[in-house]
Amino acid sequence: MPNNLDFTFSDLVAGYVISADPENGRFEMNTSDGRPFVVQLTPTTTAEMLRNLGDAYVDATAQLPGMLEHGRLLHAYGVFYPSDSEAGTAFEAKHVLLFGKAADELKFESPSWWSQQIRRLADFYLDSEFGIGSTTFDYRAYTTDLTMEGAKTSTMRQETDTISRLVYGLATAYLMHGDPRYRDAAVAGARYLIDHLCFVDRTEQIAYWYHALVLRPDGTEVKVFASEFGDDFDAIPCYEQIYALAGLTQVYRITGDPKLREIIDMTIAMFHRYFEDKTSYPDGTPRRGYYSHIDPVTFDPLSPALDDGIRSNRDRKNWNSVGDHIPAYLINLFLATGEQQYADELESLCDQITEHFPDYDSSPFVQEKFFGDWSPDRHYGQQQDRAIIGHNLKIAWNLTRVNNLRPKAEYVAFAKKIAGLMPGVGMDPQRGGWYDMMERHTGPGQRFHRLVWHDRKAWWQQEQGILAYQILNAVYGDPLYAKYARESSAFYNAWMLDTQAGGVYFNVLANGNPFMLGGERSKGSHSMAMYHSAELCYLAAVYSDLESRQHPMDLFFSPGPGAFGGVLRVAPDLLPPKTHKIMQVWINGHEHADFDAEALTVTLPHSTEPQQIRVRLAPASCTFSADTLGVSDGVARISLAGSLSAAQVGVFRGQVDEALDAGARTVVLEAGDLVYLDPEAVRYLATAKQHRDFQLTVTGAQGQVAEELTASELDQELAGSAS
């Protein structure tokens, strides 16, 4: 017999107001996927405004009936009552969360929202670890485990990756605010990591990292080398070595400390020497990629000791060992240095991901676990043949970033494929937010992919959803991407923030209620410090405020004497070329004019002391630029840069039409800095050529731009060829 829902239960409905009936105290709303719900208000229904970390409660109960305008995004939590009539199940709201005073206002889209949030996060962790208002930072007092309220536990265990995640967060808070307290705490943490948890082998010119250390009551240290957790037990997992660099690299980005750079480079050398797969297939083709684990004694990824009868980590690869290099340190290292070796590595990793991770003939989710030869491993540990939603979203996010640096059609296609599939299988259209781990396949007669643990939602996976759709929207300009970015941000800011105790919840259930069992009731643990929450604050400000809403943004740096060879690079992320510029620079409080606005570099004056740099970035105009370089002898040259989305076709059309009106008979489009070309722009070119009879030449086209021209067959009519 089927189960009958013949009982009351409480749940959340997220969506948009469609109509209101104030006289009867009800309104209708549609969920993200368009399903209607009638919501009944009761005498005990309360309403409040969304609040950020550090904000006070703002009641909106009395104003609620007048705020139910068409199109307003809101969350309603209430009780479902099975009905005896044909009217269906009744839903009575007990709590309504509003995201702004006006119907079209979303408080989390205000320019100060993410900046305020990261400051509160930094203060929470500094106060918890070092004492309220502390200005000195002795990491011997640091402990990995923090309770829900931010109190330390009795365990004096210090894990490398958790310190690194905290250091990353503090350095990022300094990058956004310039508060010396955040910088000093980050610098102290980076030094502590090197002095206490890093093994430097100068004979081989490599560095590698201990898993943890335990501080005894007498002050002595017990080093823990191999991992002590789950599937990684008694091995050296690649991802732990990767995340050891997250904090150091972000501190290096703001200070240029050569000691940090040395350790970063020596750790990367260790990746290449011991984790990188240098073998080949029988036909001689290199296998490439990074192994997921190495033996702690021999550093051998093929050691029999990695198969202990319980775990099978021998000759394995996975998302973490290949993809996590990209966001954890490689992009930030490239932004700080501009060195092409890091750009080459980013491209190589994205090529591997694009080649091996799609599995769409089998599942809507990517394949994440592999044997060394890249054949799928669908029986590994807890994951088995399961998908982690955040990893799918993380791939879309990072492929889009790297495409802005090294454009490739495959990156665009894969990112858009993920972006199109995930809302239907990994997003919660009823309540908002993104699920955790799901079965990659449905069983017989099943409509939904089954949730592996339960319907919980992890804070870091919400981050991936927000950033993926924010950058997809910023670069490609699709209204659906904007919608999913907005809904993801709404869920995160509504339910993941602990506005009482501070910090961010590790997990909430599908309905937004905190999940507080075991290690997941903590604010500090093996898996959690400040990395993902700080990364979200920073990049959400970059993607949504600087790029999409065109607000200027200030960044802060503190380079030491001789740092960066005297040239500070201040690009905020891998964004489409020429879409933002330096507006102003201040050094030690005084305006400084020696900078290259378009190259995003600042020439530093000679100094024997650290300098305090404030850089104001502004949009160049929009995410796409078309600049007519001149019309001479009937030839117009138009330089294209950034992302030519459908929303920007009017700008492009205006430049071409103006050139033709000026007498051009040949239009040369210089597309070397164009990373995306919407099909609508190609259709405009085809129509314009048909009606105005001119010759068209495109130079420098690459990646998706070249592919779009070829797919349209317009390239057959060009005097030049896409390359």
Side-chain angles (χ1 to χ4, degrees), residues 253-427:
R253 187 178 174 190
I254 63 174
T255 67
D257 184 346
K259 175 65 173 177
L260 299 181
R261 176 66 184 278
E262 178 189 32
I263 299 300
I264 292 166
D265 285 345
M266 293 175 76
T267 306
I268 293 173
M270 188 271 291
F271 290 138
H272 289 300
R273 186 167 304 178
Y274 293 109
F275 280 100
E276 186 177 5
D277 185 353
K278 299 184 178 68
T279 65
S280 298
Y281 295 105
D283 65 359
T285 304
R287 297 203 315 183
R288 300 198 300 170
Y290 290 92
Y291 292 107
S292 61
H293 298 80
I294 58 176
D295 183 284
V297 177
T298 64
F299 280 8
D300 182 3
L302 306 180
S303 169
L306 293 171
D307 283 338
D308 61 4
I310 301 174
R311 302 164 194 86
S312 298
N313 286 319
R314 182 178 179 274
D315 193 24
R316 296 299 202 279
K317 295 169 184 169
N318 59 32
W319 156 255
N320 301 102
S321 69
V322 177
D324 271 345
H325 297 269
I326 299 170
Y329 71 88
L330 261 179
I331 286 179
N332 289 326
L333 194 53
F334 175 77
L335 294 173
T337 66
E339 294 182 13
Q340 292 306 302
Q341 61 176 318
Y342 304 125
D344 293 343
E345 179 70 2
L346 287 167
E347 182 180 8
S348 175
L349 291 168
C350 287
D351 287 348
Q352 294 166 41
I353 292 166
T354 303
E355 179 180 357
H356 298 294
F357 282 67
D359 186 35
Y360 296 122
D361 290 338
S362 169
S363 170
F365 303 104
V366 300
Q367 176 65 39
E368 300 180 36
K369 301 286 187 182
F370 305 90
F371 294 99
D373 64 359
W374 289 106
S375 58
D377 180 1
R378 295 189 174 122
H379 301 284
Y380 179 89
Q382 293 183 342
Q383 185 151 356
Q384 300 293 304
D385 191 20
R386 295 162 177 163
I388 297 175
I389 305 305
H391 288 169
N392 286 260
L393 297 165
K394 204 170 187 179
I395 290 171
W397 166 42
N398 284 288
L399 286 176
T400 305
R401 298 168 88 186
V402 176
N403 187 71
N404 293 329
L405 176 67
R406 295 282 178 88
K408 290 195 175 182
E410 299 91 335
Y411 300 169
V412 175
F414 193 7
K416 285 191 167 188
K417 181 77 170 180
I418 293 171
L421 287 171
M422 282 304 102
V425 292
M427 188 179 187

Side-chain angles (χ1 to χ4, degrees), residues 244-255:
L245 293 186
L248 264 65
T249 305
Q250 196 73 330
V251 175
Y252 176 73
R253 187 178 174 190
I254 63 174
T255 67

Side-chain angles (χ1 to χ4, degrees), residues 28-306:
E28 184 178 352
M29 63 187 294
N30 278 359
T31 58
S32 175
D33 57 348
R35 290 174 294 109
F37 276 84
V38 175
V39 183
Q40 180 69 51
L41 303 178
T42 75
T44 56
T45 301
T46 61
E48 66 170 301
M49 300 299 298
L50 177 74
R51 48 178 162 160
N52 204 348
L53 293 177
D55 286 351
Y57 174 87
V58 177
D59 190 81
T61 304
Q63 295 78 23
L64 179 61
M67 299 178 76
L68 298 174
E69 306 102 320
H70 176 82
R72 176 185 285 277
L73 175 64
L74 58 75
H75 287 187
Y77 191 91
V79 181
F80 283 90
Y81 292 91
S83 174
D84 293 329
S85 70
E86 296 182 358
T89 302
F91 177 62
E92 297 185 0
K94 295 301 181 182
H95 176 266
V96 176
L97 184 65
L98 303 165
F99 292 95
K101 292 181 179 179
D104 59 352
E105 178 190 4
L106 299 170
K107 293 182 69 177
F108 54 79
E109 291 185 348
S110 67
S112 63
W113 182 269
W114 298 107
S115 178
Q116 174 182 332
Q117 191 169 123
I118 197 171
R119 179 181 280 279
R120 295 294 183 177
L121 285 166
D123 290 344
F124 173 83
Y125 280 101
L126 288 181
D127 291 349
S128 297
E129 294 288 2
F130 304 107
I132 295 175
S134 54
T135 56
T136 59
F137 309 100
D138 183 354
Y139 276 76
R140 289 176 298 179
Y142 169 90
T143 184
T144 292
D145 295 326
L146 296 174
T147 68
M148 180 69 72
E149 293 75 26
K152 293 183 180 181
T153 67
S154 59
T155 302
M156 285 306 295
R157 182 183 180 90
Q158 301 183 331
E159 292 187 24
T160 299
D161 282 8
T162 317
I163 298 177
S164 181
R165 290 179 174 113
L166 175 61
V167 168
Y168 171 93
L170 296 169
T172 305
Y174 176 79
L175 187 64
M176 294 185 74
H177 283 282
D179 188 330
R181 183 173 182 244
Y182 304 150
R183 177 202 60 206
D184 294 348
V187 168
R191 289 174 179 167
Y192 187 85
L193 281 168
I194 293 172
D195 292 344
H196 294 264
L197 286 153
C198 184
F199 188 106
V200 179
D201 186 339
R202 297 199 178 276
T203 301
E204 294 198 45
Q205 283 297 294
I206 62 171
Y208 47 92
W209 299 85
Y210 288 98
H211 169 75
L213 64 81
V214 178
L215 296 177
R216 288 174 171 167
D218 62 4
T220 58
E221 300 177 356
V222 178
K223 297 284 202 303
V224 180
F225 186 33
S227 180
E228 294 187 331
F229 284 92
D231 293 334
D232 307 314
F233 188 82
D234 215 19
I236 306 297
C238 190
Y239 80 90
E240 287 192 2
Q241 302 294 306
I242 287 171
Y243 278 103
L245 293 186
L248 264 65
T249 305
Q250 196 73 330
V251 175
Y252 176 73
R253 187 178 174 190
I254 63 174
T255 67
D257 184 346
K259 175 65 173 177
L260 299 181
R261 176 66 184 278
E262 178 189 32
I263 299 300
I264 292 166
D265 285 345
M266 293 175 76
T267 306
I268 293 173
M270 188 271 291
F271 290 138
H272 289 300
R273 186 167 304 178
Y274 293 109
F275 280 100
E276 186 177 5
D277 185 353
K278 299 184 178 68
T279 65
S280 298
Y281 295 105
D283 65 359
T285 304
R287 297 203 315 183
R288 300 198 300 170
Y290 290 92
Y291 292 107
S292 61
H293 298 80
I294 58 176
D295 183 284
V297 177
T298 64
F299 280 8
D300 182 3
L302 306 180
S303 169
L306 293 171

Side-chain angles (χ1 to χ4, degrees), residues 416 472-481 622-624 642-654 674 676-684 704 708:
K416 285 191 167 188
L472 285 160
N473 175 55
V475 175
Y476 304 130
D478 188 323
L480 267 180
Y481 297 157
C622 59
T623 57
F624 165 71
S643 175
L644 207 177
S645 66
Q648 302 297 333
V649 170
V651 176
F652 173 56
R653 180 173 185 161
L674 193 66
Y676 177 70
L677 178 63
D678 194 88
E680 185 174 324
V682 178
R683 294 194 294 271
Y684 157 70
Q704 182 270 348
E708 194 65 43

Side-chain angles (χ1 to χ4, degrees), residues 501-582:
V504 174
Y505 294 117
F506 189 113
N507 272 334
V508 298
L509 295 175
N511 60 18
N513 287 325
F515 178 78
M516 295 185 289
L517 292 177
E520 296 175 37
R521 66 176 290 115
S522 305
K523 299 285 175 59
S525 66
H526 168 66
S527 304
M528 187 183 206
M530 194 183 162
Y531 172 69
H532 288 290
S533 52
E535 182 180 54
L536 171 60
C537 290
Y538 173 66
L539 290 176
V542 171
Y543 300 155
S544 62
D545 295 337
L546 177 64
E547 285 295 290
S548 295
R549 284 186 286 279
Q550 308 281 287
H551 295 142
M553 181 178 187
D554 286 359
L555 298 182
F556 297 84
F557 302 85
S558 186
F564 303 117
V567 178
L568 176 67
R569 291 170 174 81
V570 300
D573 195 55
L574 294 181
L575 300 172
K578 300 182 180 180
T579 56
H580 51 290
K581 63 185 178 182
I582 298 175

